[in-house]
Amino acid sequence: MRGATHAKWAALATAVALAATACGGGDDSGGGGADGIVSSSWGDPQNPLEPANTNEVQGGKVLSMIFRGLKQYDPKTGEAKDMLAEKIETTDSINFTITVKDGWTFSNGEKVTAKSFVDAWNYGADLKNNQKNAYFFGQIEGYDKVHPEKGEPSATSMSGLKVTGPQTFTVKLTQKFSTWPITLGYAAFSPLPQAFFDDRQAWLSKPIGNGPYTVDSYSKGSQMALKRWDAYPGADKAQNGGITLKVYTDNNTAYTDLTAGNLDLVDDVPASQLKNVEADLGDRYINVPAGIIQTLSFPFYDPAWNKPGQEKLRQGLSMAIDRDQITETIFQKTRTPAVDWTSPVLGEDGGFKDVCGDFCKYDAAEAKKLVAEGGGIPGGTMKISYNADTGSHKEWVDAVCNSINRSLGNNKACVGNPIGTFADFRNQVTQSKMDGPFRAGWQMDYPLIQNFLQPLYYTNASSNDGKYSDPQFDKLVNQANAEADTAKAIGLFQQAEEVLRDDMGAIPLWYQNGSAGYSERVTNVSLNPFSVPVYDQIKVN
Amino acid sequence: MGRYVIRRLLQMIPVFFGATLLIFLMVNVMGDPIAGLCGDRQCDPATAAQLEKEFGLDKPVWQQYLTYMGNVFTGDFGTAFNGQPVTELMASAFPVTIRLTIVAIFFEIVIGISLGVVTGLKRGRPVDTTVLLLTLVVLSVPTFVTGLLVQLLLGVKWGWIKPAVSPEATFSELIVPGLVLASVSLAYVTRLTRTSIAENKRADYVRTAVAKGLPRRRVISRHLLRNSLIPVVTFIGADVGALMGGAIVTERIFNIHGVGYQLYQGIVRQNTQTVVGFVTILVLVFLLANLLVDLLYAVLDPRIRYA
């Protein structure tokens, strides 16, 4: 009987809690159909929401909803299609004439003109505005005046940008870049309304764009409510009434909320739930490759790692890693073993090809042989550095090291080297302080093979953290950029990739997949190549 | 009494400066925060330099600390990396956490002390043994396990509550998270009260009170409980600060956008201004709570006097 009394107490306590909570909720979106509101998980954006200042995926989500640029990447194929661009013409791959379509406005009624673009780009490039994506404008003539490497800027606008008519402007680049128009779908190239320049603070608290959604309310750090913009002139009108982005303290909680039926969409299924996700969601779980690749970079600035003949060592190490096993057991198949240095989202036409070949296949005997031929691991032990605070890198680094140790038959060949915080890790990487391989991740800015190669492996390129350098590689990249024929350009980039393979400038590990789960309330959910949900296509039942 | 309060307030000054300086130094040795701002790619050097200048990170640490402290006294806690003033973050985070703390303390006092009194009076009886066992279970299970379990059962399986708290975080939504947050302290309060009551039950003044023929209720509430509460009040007082700062786990599980969440974000993004700002306030809360506890002693037991 005693047990019964306790159960009664517990029941009573929960009943009180329930009665009280019942009055709390009830703010959920009513109604379904075309006007239904979709609720989606969100993370707090790291930077103020400006097109040229947003370099992470959380802010990027919002920009993808409230902005449309000259080009738009197809959510399925990643192909860059004209959006606001009527036409982009060039004869020499240096001078471009851009015509902006007529009839587009911002959601506050302002017309989208050539000036909207030119002003926005000049703003984004200006050093004084601290925009983290400023380097996107680096190819435009006059960038070095508004964004000098040292000292104060001597101009506020780039000489390569000229407004030639209400809807036309010209761009002059500093060097040939035939595929440059394809980059224009990136959010940094979005147009900005005059309202932004008149009162930036007001704009930041409630951004105004020209996309299918408008910001209805934004309370920083907790949620943003976006409403469908009915006067949106584009073809990709929103199929739902709006999107409510809710900031979650932890993606596990978001997932729990989804399974409890309080949330419609989670676009980042936590690693700890991957085992249950099939059972919980069935076919409402999406797991598709995204434009993200993970590699191991080498410190080419360290003499111990930059000796002639060491390409065999690096190739051997690559063959010592059992990618299939690691992606299956540790990542539950949310990673795809890499076969080149780009990403499957580019497609065969875009330049994705098995360039790595046998060097990316696990072969312990061959690995051991190659490492020995390459002079062995410098110092006998190598450390793979990673940041231990986020992203659960420890598991896979340990697995990679185990795989290498097993292949080489040496328990001391490889150990993980955790670094406390991401900031400290990046600090050591950018200051070239690594004394062994380190993890590197690259998320594409635009679906272009150039974006996977040039920023990472071109001599002194912006994200060439390992300081890899090869004159042949640089030459091929330059040739590819100058080549007007896209197919030929891609062929040249693939040749450059072969140079990278023969040097093994970085070990490709795997492509990261985008993962998402959704509720029974919504249909037609998909992820684009950037692993961002295609919000405007979601339908509410 | 007045002199005692003044002395205690003066003692708080070095503790305050010491604690903030330590936090400042600790955040600063974690590496360059700007390097982490640009994600997996390198910040372009000119922009990085410009940002460092804006956040004052280009100056030596001691100078940053002095400037920071100078600003704090004018109510300026600096700007977080997302462009929001830290005071704005505080204004949104502290009310939520204070509500959560109030709920937790409420449970500690009501449930903890009642259970303590009951078990203390019936020492050795089955009720006592059961509660002791239960508190042992609560003490040995980590908060995150309790939290996730409660969330899974009440939120997902039975659908009695919402697993995630809304941004408004009203009192009613915070009942379950508050109970989870309070659970461990609650068990301590129960055990503390129980021991204290059991001990004082045999004290002379209780026997006298009973002998005088006072009603049992009055004996317990005025004589027994009042004297037994001193260690409990000490514990609860110190717990106020601990709950506010230590809510990180509970806040993460139940999606509460309070102090714990902001601190966690600040640390992960290495946002010096946010971390130091929040810790500064928490240090103050700790100090004031302790002062309050000491003053309460005199109220509970008039024999305790401060010269």
Side-chain angles (χ1 to χ4, degrees):
Chain A
M1 263 336 270
R2 217 175 294 130
T5 338
H6 282 288
K8 222 194 289 173
W9 265 102
L12 194 71
T14 32
V16 171
L18 285 185
T21 34
C23 0
D27 59 329
D28 251 44
S29 50
D35 292 325
I37 308 280
V38 180
S39 57
S40 171
S41 69
W42 196 31
D44 203 9
Q46 194 171 17
N47 305 310
L49 274 175
E50 294 168 282
N53 202 18
T54 299
N55 60 354
E56 39 77 56
V57 69
Q58 304 302 342
K61 283 180 199 171
V62 177
L63 296 182
S64 77
M65 285 188 260
I66 62 168
F67 275 109
R68 285 293 178 265
L70 292 166
K71 293 265 187 183
Q72 172 82 358
Y73 302 118
D74 187 283
K76 286 207 176 64
T77 61
E79 189 196 340
K81 291 179 174 160
D82 283 346
M83 196 72 197
L84 265 72
E86 179 93 47
K87 51 186 188 242
I88 301 174
E89 293 167 319
T90 181
T91 49
D92 53 4
S93 297
I94 281 196
N95 289 290
F96 293 84
T97 306
I98 298 171
T99 312
V100 182
K101 273 183 196 156
D102 226 350
W104 281 74
T105 58
F106 291 99
S107 59
N108 64 352
E110 245 180 72
K111 224 169 158 309
V112 183
T113 61
K115 190 170 174 291
S116 316
F117 284 96
V118 171
D119 285 353
W121 297 4
N122 277 328
Y123 178 86
D126 195 340
L127 178 59
K128 284 197 184 114
N129 300 324
N130 291 339
Q131 304 284 296
K132 287 176 199 79
N133 288 337
Y135 61 92
F136 274 91
F137 308 100
Q139 287 108 353
I140 299 172
E141 196 182 73
Y143 175 77
D144 52 344
K145 294 278 191 309
V146 298
H147 200 113
E149 276 179 36
K150 280 200 181 89
E152 294 292 307
S154 56
T156 53
S157 58
M158 293 179 280
S159 54
L161 284 180
K162 281 200 182 70
V163 178
T164 51
Q167 299 300 113
T168 54
F169 65 106
T170 58
V171 183
K172 187 173 185 211
L173 304 182
T174 48
Q175 53 180 310
K176 286 189 174 185
F177 188 2
S178 58
T179 46
W180 181 74
I182 296 180
T183 68
L184 295 177
Y186 189 70
F189 293 103
S190 301
L192 282 169
Q194 188 59 37
F196 173 86
F197 302 98
D198 292 343
D199 187 349
R200 178 170 164 267
Q201 278 310 323
W203 191 93
L204 286 179
S205 58
K206 201 175 169 184
I208 299 162
N210 64 331
Y213 291 97
T214 59
V215 179
D216 193 46
S217 68
Y218 179 23
S219 55
K220 277 187 183 163
S222 55
Q223 91 174 25
M224 180 186 263
L226 295 127
K227 285 265 151 66
R228 176 178 60 207
W229 178 33
D230 287 318
Y232 174 69
D236 51 342
K237 267 187 189 300
Q239 306 289 310
N240 47 57
I243 308 281
T244 301
L245 298 172
K246 296 180 171 177
V247 175
Y248 277 88
T249 49
D250 187 349
N251 57 0
N252 273 298
T253 313
Y255 185 81
T256 310
D257 234 6
L258 174 74
T259 49
N262 295 323
L263 190 71
D264 293 326
L265 176 63
V266 167
D267 62 354
D268 177 23
V269 176
S272 54
Q273 303 285 0
L274 288 173
K275 280 188 203 119
N276 320 325
V277 72
E278 302 266 346
D280 286 347
L281 300 173
D283 56 1
R284 287 179 285 116
Y285 167 59
I286 305 174
N287 181 22
V288 289
I292 307 171
I293 182 170
Q294 253 106 38
T295 60
L296 277 188
S297 287
F298 292 97
F300 287 97
Y301 43 76
D302 183 345
W305 283 94
N306 198 3
K307 289 184 210 140
Q310 271 185 331
E311 66 275 0
K312 287 203 168 162
L313 162 72
R314 294 190 289 269
Q315 287 162 348
L317 289 174
S318 173
M319 296 181 82
I321 300 169
D322 191 346
R323 293 172 178 77
D324 290 316
Q325 200 197 19
I326 295 172
T327 50
E328 201 170 316
T329 53
I330 293 188
F331 293 117
Q332 309 279 337
K333 294 192 177 163
T334 59
R335 305 283 190 279
T336 310
V339 293
D340 76 342
W341 284 260
T342 68
S343 161
V345 299
L346 294 179
E348 302 253 317
D349 296 339
F352 170 66
K353 186 180 157 193
D354 185 350
V355 176
C356 193
D358 284 343
F359 290 137
C360 285
K361 292 203 177 64
Y362 178 61
D363 185 343
E366 185 67 18
K368 197 171 178 180
K369 196 179 122 218
L370 277 172
V371 168
E373 282 174 22
I377 291 166
T381 300
M382 69 175 198
K383 290 194 260 177
I384 299 182
S385 301
Y386 60 95
N387 56 305
D389 56 346
T390 50
S392 37
H393 297 301
K394 182 182 172 16
E395 286 84 356
W396 69 258
V397 170
D398 287 349
V400 163
C401 272
N402 279 337
S403 185
I404 291 174
N405 291 344
R406 214 170 44 231
S407 307
L408 303 184
N410 173 2
N411 270 335
K412 287 184 183 148
C414 175
V415 288
N417 176 34
I419 294 173
T421 61
F422 181 64
D424 195 16
F425 173 72
R426 287 302 304 166
N427 200 21
Q428 296 190 24
V429 167
T430 51
Q431 291 185 8
S432 301
K433 281 186 180 162
M434 292 293 165
D435 54 2
F438 53 96
R439 76 154 195 96
W442 181 255
Q443 170 150 29
M444 66 172 185
D445 303 310
Y446 30 82
L448 205 54
I449 185 170
Q450 177 266 351
N451 190 237
F452 282 95
L453 300 176
Q454 193 169 0
L456 292 162
Y457 309 111
Y458 194 84
T459 305
N460 287 328
S462 59
S463 289
N464 189 346
D465 292 331
K467 301 274 177 269
Y468 171 78
S469 176
D470 186 293
Q472 183 63 18
F473 179 88
D474 293 357
K475 200 180 124 198
L476 284 163
V477 167
N478 287 340
Q479 279 177 8
N481 280 330
E483 176 59 58
D485 183 273
T486 315
K488 279 186 194 158
I490 286 169
L492 285 162
F493 275 120
Q494 284 172 335
Q495 283 180 36
E497 225 183 323
E498 283 162 18
V499 174
L500 188 60
R501 173 198 60 200
D502 295 338
D503 276 346
M504 196 51 78
I507 296 179
L509 293 173
W510 35 74
Y511 314 114
Q512 189 169 322
N513 291 10
S515 64
Y518 54 95
S519 74
E520 281 162 349
R521 248 187 100 230
V522 293
T523 50
N524 208 21
V525 182
S526 60
L527 293 176
N528 70 13
F530 303 89
S531 77
V532 171
V534 188
Y535 289 103
D536 48 60
Q537 297 299 314
I538 298 176
K539 289 194 174 105
V540 182
N541 297 331
Chain B
M1 187 80 167
R3 273 178 62 190
Y4 173 75
V5 174
I6 290 172
R7 209 168 66 210
R8 282 297 306 265
L9 285 174
L10 285 178
Q11 279 172 4
M12 280 161 70
I13 296 172
V15 177
F16 177 73
F17 281 103
T20 43
L21 179 64
L22 268 179
I23 289 294
F24 214 89
L25 292 175
M26 273 150 73
V27 177
N28 268 286
V29 294
M30 293 200 300
D32 175 15
I34 301 294
L37 260 189
C38 294
D40 265 326
R41 66 191 61 199
Q42 194 168 339
C43 280
D44 112 68
T47 311
Q50 179 86 0
L51 281 169
E52 275 185 2
K53 212 157 90 189
E54 191 177 301
F55 291 110
L57 296 167
D58 52 341
K59 301 201 181 69
V61 177
W62 63 268
Q63 209 175 328
Q64 284 181 41
Y65 179 71
L66 284 185
T67 329
Y68 179 81
M69 274 305 164
N71 288 339
V72 163
F73 283 107
T74 58
D76 175 10
F77 283 85
T79 314
F81 286 151
N82 68 355
Q84 262 183 301
V86 175
T87 43
E88 216 175 85
L89 293 177
M90 289 177 177
S92 70
F94 269 100
V96 174
T97 299
I98 288 173
R99 277 203 292 276
L100 183 65
T101 314
I102 290 176
V103 174
I105 295 280
F106 175 79
F107 280 125
E108 270 180 40
I109 293 176
V110 173
I111 303 183
I113 295 184
S114 331
L115 283 180
V117 171
V118 171
T119 51
L121 290 175
K122 305 195 169 180
R123 218 171 100 172
R125 303 270 194 82
V127 184
D128 180 36
T129 324
T130 320
V131 172
L132 267 186
L133 234 125
L134 280 178
T135 51
L136 188 70
V137 171
V138 171
L139 284 177
S140 50
V141 179
T143 317
F144 73 91
V145 176
T146 330
L148 285 172
L149 208 66
V150 168
Q151 184 185 44
L152 185 70
L153 288 179
L154 298 186
V156 182
K157 288 269 183 281
W158 303 332
W160 292 359
I161 57 161
K162 289 195 170 186
V165 169
S166 74
E168 293 81 34
T170 52
F171 269 117
S172 51
E173 284 178 293
L174 292 175
I175 290 178
V176 176
L179 200 56
V180 169
L181 178 62
S183 58
V184 172
S185 305
L186 198 153
Y188 275 119
V189 169
T190 307
R191 293 186 151 218
L192 267 176
T193 318
R194 172 186 173 272
T195 319
S196 195
I197 292 265
E199 215 169 84
N200 288 336
K201 210 170 77 173
R202 278 181 245 123
D204 291 345
Y205 64 87
V206 176
R207 207 170 349 147
T208 313
V210 176
K212 274 200 297 185
L214 286 180
R216 187 175 153 80
R217 173 182 294 273
R218 196 168 162 80
V219 176
I220 293 174
S221 63
R222 296 291 294 179
H223 296 254
L224 183 54
L225 195 54
R226 186 166 158 173
N227 286 290
S228 307
L229 277 186
I230 291 181
V232 181
V233 166
T234 317
F235 177 79
I236 294 180
D239 210 35
V240 172
L243 287 180
M244 285 193 88
I248 294 187
V249 175
T250 319
E251 292 193 356
R252 260 189 84 111
I253 292 175
F254 290 99
N255 191 37
I256 301 167
H257 297 255
V259 172
Y261 169 65
Q262 293 294 352
L263 261 180
Y264 175 78
Q265 291 274 315
I267 292 168
V268 166
R269 292 178 182 173
Q270 232 199 323
N271 204 328
T272 325
Q273 313 277 344
T274 321
V275 178
V276 183
F278 276 83
V279 170
T280 306
I281 300 288
L282 284 178
V283 167
L284 281 177
V285 171
F286 257 103
L287 291 173
L288 287 175
N290 271 319
L291 178 66
L292 207 67
V293 168
D294 287 356
L295 296 181
L296 263 181
Y297 282 165
V299 179
L300 284 170
D301 186 350
R303 284 174 304 176
I304 303 174
R305 287 277 154 74
Y306 302 106

